[in-house]
Amino acid sequence: MKVTQHIEKTDETLFSFEVIPPVKGKNIEELYDNIDPLMEFNPPFIDVTTSREEYVYIDRDGLLDKKRTRMRPGTLGICAAIKHKYDVDTIPHVLCGGFTREETEYLLVDCQYLGIDNVMALRGDAMKEEKYFTPTSGGHTYASDLVQQIVDLNKGVYLHEVVETDQGSDFCIGVAGYPEKHMEAPSLKTDLKWLKHKVDLGADYVVTQMFFDNRKYFEFVDRAREMGIEVPIIPGIKPIAVKKHLQLLPQVFRTELPEDLIEAVTACRNNGEVRQVGIEWAIEQSKELRAAGVPVLHFYSMGKSDNIRAIAEAVF
Ligand code: FAD
């Protein structure tokens, strides 16, 4: 079922989360072990991220051989496995970066055969070695281009117009939104303009980047509504888990942390205490968002679910 249909079916705030495929060489059991404890809270859908490729250097008798590889492949396989095991909708993250348009089309066709009703259309980050995102040759530059490709497929128009059919796909399309603006956007207003572009092209819902101050989300939603963005805007919540997040999250996601949270984390003697602070902060955030009637609380689980479970127990 589509995310929008799940939302329309109820006035209650739904619970959902995102998982990351294991590093290749690991099996899927650990992932299941982390999903199992969360199924009690009836997530209508689970997102599965896609990782960018990266360069690895292999030592061959003193000479370094540079190879491009994807360390966490298997997004679609994991979507199919989770859907089959738990009878829940799964949402693959589909990226511009690292994929040609043709590869994206084949991926979408696979999604259709697997009965996947939703896809999250994202540009993807720059590769680790790159300062800025470089479009893959033959791939898309912006998430909006990807939205357009999916919308075309929904209309039965395949690439290069080799096939036109009235049996198009019917994907519900999610896109990313940034309450504190995307790091490359010169202003929140400009970023919102591009978000509106994605929605005007056919995106059905927005999931936000993590934020730690609910006012940022509420203001973002107000501004989005003023600009005519009317689709559901799902807040993304990440509980802080280690002290290093104080530097890492602002650096990687350009997220500002509230002073009270910084002080509480700084006062912790170990990461066990930090994890508890993160849980308590996310519970307060989630309770307020739920009281405000958000359609879904979407959690970034980062592979370990004990903290997400503790939050869900307190909120749902
Ligand atoms: P876009 O919407 O293309 O925007 C990128 C930048 O370009 C923005 O600054 C925007 O303002 C600007 N822009 C957009 N359109 C135009 C235009 N036509 N002309 C000029 N400027 C424009 N990354 C992964 O690698 N894998 C994942 O699984 C993943 N999942 C995510 C899930 C969520 C909910 C979120 C919020 C992010 C996720 N990301 C993921 C990160 C995301 O890929 C990065 O934030 C990326 O840098 C931007 O992606 P986007 O889809 O927002 O890009």
Side-chain angles (χ1 to χ4, degrees):
M1 199 192 277
K2 294 180 176 187
V3 166
T4 45
Q5 292 170 326
H6 282 297
I7 291 173
E8 278 157 20
K9 241 176 63 179
T10 176
D11 291 332
E12 293 293 315
T13 299
L14 300 166
F15 164 77
S16 75
F17 59 95
E18 168 184 297
V19 297
I20 302 173
V23 174
K24 59 185 168 190
K26 301 256 180 199
N27 65 35
I28 199 168
E29 296 307 324
E30 196 183 325
L31 187 61
Y32 291 153
D33 289 346
N34 279 290
I35 294 176
D36 286 344
L38 301 178
M39 293 316 288
E40 178 188 331
F41 305 100
N42 300 318
F45 57 88
I46 298 172
D47 277 55
V48 183
T49 63
T50 296
S51 68
R52 282 300 312 265
E53 343 75 286
E54 55 193 273
Y55 288 111
V56 289
Y57 298 88
I58 300 144
D59 191 343
R60 298 203 194 282
D61 300 328
L63 287 176
L64 290 183
D65 196 2
K66 188 178 176 187
K67 294 280 180 211
R68 205 173 170 135
T69 187
R70 204 177 286 276
M71 290 307 287
R72 294 176 183 272
T75 299
L76 191 57
I78 287 171
C79 280
I82 296 175
K83 186 172 159 60
H84 178 68
K85 182 172 164 70
Y86 298 100
D87 191 20
V88 63
D89 281 306
T90 48
I91 307 182
H93 289 193
V94 181
L95 303 185
C96 302
F99 296 87
T100 64
R101 291 174 177 79
E102 285 75 11
E103 285 164 341
T104 298
E105 183 171 273
Y106 309 146
L107 180 73
L108 292 169
V109 169
D110 281 341
C111 287
Q112 238 185 315
Y113 293 148
L114 287 167
I116 285 172
D117 295 325
N118 307 276
V119 291
M120 186 78 186
L122 298 150
R123 189 194 70 178
D125 280 321
M127 285 177 67
K128 267 188 199 156
E129 295 75 8
E130 294 171 347
K131 199 159 169 30
Y132 301 106
F133 175 84
T134 314
T136 298
S137 171
H140 295 299
T141 303
Y142 294 111
S144 52
D145 307 326
L146 184 52
V147 171
Q148 184 63 63
Q149 180 175 3
I150 303 165
V151 167
D152 286 345
L153 204 69
N154 280 352
K155 290 182 189 148
V157 180
Y158 286 70
L159 284 179
H160 321 306
E161 290 159 31
V162 287
V163 179
E164 282 204 36
T165 163
D166 55 7
Q167 297 177 351
S169 55
D170 188 19
F171 291 116
C172 175
I173 306 168
V175 290
Y178 301 82
E180 297 175 72
K181 87 170 183 67
H182 183 255
M183 65 183 88
E184 294 161 29
S187 70
L188 183 56
K189 190 174 174 189
T190 309
D191 204 25
L192 275 164
K193 184 182 89 177
W194 292 121
L195 178 61
K196 182 162 189 318
H197 182 53
K198 292 190 276 194
V199 173
D200 288 346
L201 287 174
D204 298 289
Y205 68 98
V206 177
V207 182
T208 76
Q209 185 56 279
M210 66 185 73
F211 55 89
F212 296 89
D213 177 350
N214 285 349
R215 280 174 306 176
K216 301 255 166 80
Y217 169 82
F218 294 131
E219 283 164 22
F220 177 71
V221 173
D222 286 346
R223 290 186 68 169
R225 300 295 181 229
E226 276 164 25
M227 290 185 76
I229 298 171
E230 282 167 10
V231 298
I233 301 179
I234 297 172
I237 308 287
K238 178 182 162 49
I240 288 218
V242 290
K243 217 169 214 178
K244 202 152 178 42
H245 278 159
L246 285 188
Q247 285 83 44
L248 208 66
L249 302 180
Q251 189 188 0
V252 177
F253 302 105
R254 305 292 197 274
T255 311
E256 197 177 326
L257 303 179
E259 289 306 325
D260 290 356
L261 178 57
I262 299 170
E263 276 169 28
V265 171
T266 308
C268 291
R269 284 162 302 177
N270 54 52
N271 279 336
E273 289 184 7
V274 175
R275 207 165 175 82
Q276 194 51 38
V277 166
I279 290 170
E280 282 160 20
W281 191 271
I283 289 173
E284 290 314 309
Q285 269 195 284
S286 302
K287 283 185 173 168
E288 189 185 22
L289 290 162
R290 192 177 180 203
V294 300
V296 184
L297 285 168
H298 185 71
F299 291 91
Y300 297 114
S301 80
M302 310 305 284
K304 293 267 178 261
S305 65
D306 59 305
N307 51 358
I308 309 297
R309 184 181 162 87
I311 298 160
E313 267 177 338
V315 176
F316 291 95

